[in-house]
Amino acid sequence: MIPLDRFSGHANLYAQYRIDYPPDLYNYLLSFVTERRAAWDCATGNGQVADVLANSFDQVDATDISETQLILAAKKPNIRYQLSQAEQTPFANQTFDLITVAQALHWFTIDAFHQEVRRVAKPGAILAEWGYGLVKLGSDLDAVLLDFYRNRVGPYWDPQRVHIDTSYANLPFPFADVQHNQFTIHRNWTLDRFLNYLRTWSAVRQYIHENEEDPVTDFGEQLKAHWGEGEREIRFPVFFRLGRVMDEPVQ
């Protein structure tokens, strides 16, 4: 199966306007990792997770199927970027102490990816998979945003998007010592900043491609009266799961 690349065409926009993750998520994750020699950030995108992991690991390998994304990714001496599918990588057996996937698992062939994780992970290594759902704007705007999400651009989401809406609950995770957690990303954004974030949505990019118009422009006009001229606090709900990679899958 040819992997889906939904982000090369707007990699610069993605690098500027996608969100990063809160320190408490990384603190929680790293509390489970004893050896910190090598980490793999799979589907690294703009390298934001790899950039943070590089502060704690001797070496970070970060892979993606988008060469354009990798060119724009954060650079550090101990981060090595490579073009690679999630399900088949160039790494040696039993290489990594930690493997991470942020907001990308739903694009993978899950069983094949987890098989590759077992091959390249050291015994007892940690696998962490997480993502974030629909942003919360506040009681006065959440219903308006939900209508845009479901109805205006809803038909343009790939089928895999359902796994974000269900917080990966229906995706297998056959690992040991499984932990689940939730985090919240708080941001204070202007309306313009928020609209540019919406333009990174794969459904918005597909809408623009098929209709040759930007649905975010009209939506922004709807929001103006409520948003005001300054910044508004918004929240992104993050779902998170973590497990330990043992010799055999957990049934």
Side-chain angles (χ1 to χ4, degrees):
M1 177 185 292
I2 299 173
L4 291 168
D5 180 1
R6 290 289 186 263
F7 303 101
S8 286
H10 60 289
N12 189 57
L13 195 69
Y14 189 98
Q16 290 183 69
Y17 294 112
R18 274 292 169 129
I19 60 171
D20 52 7
Y21 302 103
D24 55 339
L25 183 152
Y26 291 107
N27 292 336
Y28 179 78
L29 167 60
L30 291 173
S31 72
F32 291 90
V33 184
T34 52
E35 293 291 328
R36 299 185 184 180
R37 296 183 182 277
W40 169 30
D41 184 39
C42 183
T44 194
N46 62 11
Q48 59 172 283
V49 174
D51 184 49
V52 176
L53 295 180
N55 296 328
S56 299
F57 286 81
D58 296 339
Q59 177 69 44
V60 176
D61 283 280
T63 60
D64 205 279
I65 61 171
S66 168
E67 184 175 12
T68 309
Q69 288 257 64
L70 295 182
I71 289 170
L72 295 172
K75 304 299 189 293
K76 281 184 177 174
N78 61 333
I79 302 177
R80 177 170 52 199
Y81 291 105
Q82 297 185 68
L83 276 174
S84 177
Q85 298 181 29
E87 301 86 354
Q88 187 174 10
T89 69
F91 305 125
N93 294 351
Q94 298 187 3
T95 296
F96 298 107
D97 304 295
L98 172 67
I99 298 169
T100 56
V101 187
Q103 196 70 358
L105 181 72
H106 51 292
W107 299 112
F108 299 170
T109 302
I110 306 299
D111 291 341
F113 169 64
H114 284 162
Q115 183 177 350
E116 184 69 352
V117 165
R118 292 187 179 283
R119 184 184 72 81
V120 303
K122 295 177 184 177
I126 295 297
L127 170 65
E129 302 172 342
W130 71 87
Y132 56 90
L134 185 62
V135 59
K136 304 298 182 183
L137 301 180
S139 58
D140 56 333
L141 288 179
D142 281 343
V144 178
L145 177 61
L146 187 62
D147 179 69
F148 178 80
Y149 175 77
R150 287 181 174 172
N151 300 317
R152 185 69 184 276
V153 301
Y156 298 88
W157 288 110
D158 288 282
Q160 294 92 331
R161 180 69 191 187
V162 68
H163 296 301
I164 293 292
D165 294 334
T166 57
S167 304
Y168 291 170
N170 298 317
L171 294 180
F173 197 61
F175 297 96
D177 304 329
V178 172
Q179 306 290 323
H180 292 271
N181 210 332
Q182 297 179 340
F183 303 91
T184 302
I185 302 168
H186 297 270
R187 292 291 180 267
N188 291 297
W189 281 357
T190 64
L191 177 59
D192 183 66
R193 175 68 176 80
F194 176 68
L195 296 179
N196 279 319
Y197 158 72
L198 293 185
R199 292 185 175 101
T200 70
W201 283 6
S202 60
V204 169
R205 306 317 301 179
Q206 189 63 24
Y207 184 105
I208 292 171
H209 174 73
E210 293 188 23
N211 297 283
E212 298 185 349
E213 66 175 22
D214 181 359
V216 173
T217 302
D218 288 343
F219 184 55
E221 292 300 317
Q222 280 185 264
L223 297 182
K224 262 186 182 178
H226 299 276
W227 199 287
E229 294 299 322
E231 294 182 339
R232 181 185 185 96
E233 183 183 27
I234 62 176
R235 295 172 289 112
F236 293 85
V238 179
F239 54 90
F240 180 101
R241 66 186 189 180
L242 170 153
R244 196 168 298 278
V245 183
M246 308 306 286
D247 291 337
E248 297 295 332
V250 175
Q251 301 300 322

